[in-house]
């Protein structure tokens, strides 16, 4: 399955009746442009990049998507922690791992492969 097929599948989820309020909220955020940075926290822009009204809209929409199983995230200055802090496990293992540069890794039992 390629990225576009995954996007189309996920968009279908948004047509379910119980998801309608979230879908409408996300549609209102469509005009907000953003850039991501990745580290111990996935960050999307900073609060200063959006208006106060947009910031509140983002915060309300983020709360609608709780609980957050993955993370942590910083979305326009809104800190979103996660139920699972998988990066802590990874950071403990990293020092013991061999050099994985240019290696193919099979992570069996990794759930969705977040790490």
């Amino acid at each position: 399955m390629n990225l576009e097929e995954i996007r189309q599948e996920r968009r279908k989820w948004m047509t379910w009746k119980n998801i309608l309020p979230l879908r409408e909220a996300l549609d209102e955020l469509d005009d907000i442009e953003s850039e991501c940075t990745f580290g111990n926290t996935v960050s999307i822009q900073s609060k200063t990049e959006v208006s106060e009204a947009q910031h509140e809209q983002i915060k309300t929409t983020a709360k609608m998507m709780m609980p957050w199983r993955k993370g942590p995230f910083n979305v326009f200055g809104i800190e979103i922690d996660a139920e699972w802090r998988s990066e802590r496990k990874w950071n403990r293992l990293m020092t013991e791992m061999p050099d994985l540069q240019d290696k193919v890794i099979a992570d069996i039992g990794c759930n969705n492969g977040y790490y």
Side-chain angles (χ1 to χ4, degrees):
M1 185 176 282
N2 67 34
L3 184 57
E4 187 54 36
E5 290 170 333
I6 293 169
R7 284 184 179 139
Q8 289 174 4
E9 176 190 341
R10 299 302 191 266
R11 285 184 188 123
K12 286 180 189 175
W13 294 356
M14 301 305 279
T15 63
W16 298 346
K17 276 197 285 188
N18 61 336
I19 307 251
L20 182 61
L22 177 58
R23 186 185 74 198
E24 291 170 347
L26 289 170
D27 286 345
E28 292 178 24
L29 298 176
D30 273 348
D31 64 338
I32 298 175
E33 293 184 22
S34 61
E35 290 184 18
C36 291
T37 56
F38 301 93
N40 283 338
T41 299
V42 175
S43 298
I44 304 174
Q45 291 284 13
S46 67
K47 184 179 175 185
T48 58
E49 303 294 327
V50 294
S51 70
E52 190 60 39
Q54 288 173 316
H55 189 260
E56 283 303 313
Q57 195 175 18
I58 293 166
K59 189 173 183 179
T60 299
T61 304
K63 285 182 179 181
M64 292 172 74
M65 293 190 279
M66 292 172 72
W68 288 82
R69 292 175 57 191
K70 305 295 186 213
F73 300 97
N74 181 305
V75 180
F76 293 94
I78 302 163
E79 297 290 333
I80 299 173
D81 204 349
E83 291 180 0
W84 302 343
R85 295 296 300 263
S86 301
E87 89 282 359
R88 292 179 180 168
K89 295 175 190 174
W90 177 252
N91 288 340
R92 286 194 304 264
L93 291 172
M94 250 176 32
T95 59
E96 305 299 321
M97 299 288 286
D99 180 14
L100 300 176
Q101 183 73 34
D102 299 321
K103 303 288 191 249
V104 176
I105 308 298
D107 190 350
I108 307 301
C110 64
N111 193 10
N112 67 356
Y114 188 73
Y115 285 98

